[in-house]
Amino acid sequence: MADQRIQKVINTEISYIQIHQAGFEETNDINDYILNAGDLQKSIGNIAGVIGVCKRIVIQSMAASAETASGVLISGINPEQEKSVTSINDKIIDGAYFEGIKRNPAVIGKKLAEKLNLRIRSKFVITVQDLQNNITSGAFRVAGIYSTDNSVFDETNVFVRYSDLQKLTNFPAGAAHEIAININKGEELPAISEAVKKVAGDKLSIKIWKELRPEMNYLTEAMDLYMYIFIVIILLALLFGIINTMLMVVMERTKEIGMLMAIGMNKIKIFSMIVLESVMLSLTGGIVGIVIGAIASKYGETHPIDLSAWAQGYQQLGYDAFVYTQLDPSMLVDITLLVILTGVIAAVYPAYKALRNDPADALRIE
Amino acid sequence: MNVIEIKGLTKIYNTSEVIVKAVNGIDINFEKGEFTAIVGPSGSGKTTFLNMLGGLDKPTSGKVIIGGVDVWKLSSRQLIDFRMNNIGFVFQSYNLIPVLTAGENVEFIMHLQGKPKKERKQRTKDLLEAVGIGNRINARPSKLSGGQQQRVAVARALASKPEFILADEPTANLDSTATNSLLELMSKMNKKYNTTFIFATHDQRVIDKAHRIVTIEDGKILSDECFERD
Ligand SMILES: Nc1ncnc2c1ncn2[C@@H]1O[C@H](COP(=O)(O)OP(=O)(O)O)[C@@H](O)[C@H]1O
Ligand SMILES: [Mg+2]
């Protein structure tokens, strides 16, 4: 669930790697742009594993409709290039992605549309400071309305064409505040970010998603932690279940164990017998459970769990209403080993009890 | 030649209420190939005596010497191996492992001894045939009658090729037909393998078959008689 959330954030909101002028992220100063962003974009596009690069002008601004106004972050993007990096174009729920409006089209979030009472083709005014610190305004029309799972994002992000925003703010051609990079495989991120650093030089700030949104990383770590807590709880339940069962087994079979000791089974053999039985007990349950779990998980990969009834709260937090399950094969191996280990540990006390049996006493039991 | 020598054997149970002298100074010898009944009323000390003789219950004092080995001087580890290789046990009940077949129960002890598989299989087959249930080799104990189960127990006791077999009330749970045939079987095995049989009983039918009858009461030998039987 957290992985799903992270993948979504990477795809819709932040992308894998972002480049800024050092300091831009703190100040959002319009003058902290990357002058040669266009050239840089081309050379980064040639790095192996990079599947999309786009540049953006990002400016804090005011969006105003006839009724009311709202502070927004306006991004001037190249609609085609943006598709290869983020998936806002897939999130359009009304209108079209930069289509249907000839002059100054804009794509806005559903939440903002509701707030400013805007519909498709509605006009609204964006007010920004230009590079010379003059206040300047431009009229845009809503071409498309998008909706992600993050309502805060939807309320504060407006997308317009790079060229339109460049004209409005007298921005130097080819310059940008932000370069966003998408890559093919998440595992290649460290290598690619190194390569990007080489191309971009060390004057610029290059950050991967974990650095861009540290809370995302906490989310993974927190989820991992929850997972371990769950596993520990389940294994503890298993442990006590097996201890209980094996104690019963040992007690019920006191006489049999006494007989086995009498006819020549030594302590090591009795001990191994109990441990082996315990491992087999835990494994039969374990394997059945793992098979059922794996099947359920495989099914959930294509048939998401529908939480939409409760999704309001989740969506505030940026979670999806449909949860896809995910199966990690290495996890299966780990769990199986843990189950076996639990079986062994659980057997120790019952086996010790079995060894305490005195054959002469045990055989006297009627 | 004496297989077993017992000197001043005593067992005192110290319970919270009373001190029980279960076995109270027994001196006796057993020879190779004997077929001996230990007789006495319930509580007279037969089981305690056999358990000390079989290395299952430690005497308070006295000695058990089997084939020259002072049994209670062995370490607990050595004792287990000694029991496995020298003594066969037939108990009143719970002789067999319920999840194993008759054949596997017999084979099990040879497995513990580390005998090769081929020998184990052959001996199991021979023994079960000798005790008259060769056709039930693959049956679980629950599918056998009480008498048949005790026959498997005798076969199991013989499997390890012990010097002697201790049987504590082996016929207590059997009807008279089964008792008779089990006794005949033990007597036959006694002759066939020249294995010493010492069994505790208070069953008159068993007593009639014994060659030697040792009567104990209150942990002491009351009489020790020999009979000529065919
Ligand atoms: N573990 C024990 N603790 C205390 N007393 C015992 C114990 N085992 C046997 N006894 C006592 O020792 C005496 C002899 O018992 P036992 O050898 O079982 O006799 P038998 O087999 O002839 O019936 C009995 O009085 C019995 O109550
Ligand atoms: Mg008894």
Side-chain angles (χ1 to χ4, degrees), chain A residues 103-123:
Chain A
R103 268 206 63 197
N104 287 356
V107 170
I108 66 171
K110 180 164 164 259
K111 201 83 184 182
L112 185 67
E114 282 164 9
K115 191 170 172 189
L116 298 184
N117 197 12
L118 296 173
R119 263 164 304 214
I120 298 301
R121 308 196 63 83
S122 296
K123 199 163 116 181

Side-chain angles (χ1 to χ4, degrees), chain A residues 260 263 265, chain B residues 97 100 103-113:
Chain A
L260 290 172
I263 68 169
M265 237 174 133
Chain B
I97 302 163
L100 300 183
E104 286 163 348
N105 264 289
V106 174
E107 200 184 325
F108 178 70
I109 192 157
M110 292 185 274
H111 196 92
L112 290 178
Q113 288 180 311

Side-chain angles (χ1 to χ4, degrees), chain A residues 361 364, chain B residues 13 15 20 22 40-49 168-169:
Chain A
D361 288 339
R364 274 181 194 274
Chain B
Y13 288 113
T15 60
V20 184
S42 189
S44 56
K46 304 182 295 293
T47 298
T48 309
F49 174 68
D168 190 4
E169 313 222 15

Side-chain angles (χ1 to χ4, degrees), chain A residues 339-350:
Chain A
V339 164
I340 295 175
L341 187 69
T342 309
V344 172
I345 294 172
V348 170
Y349 181 63

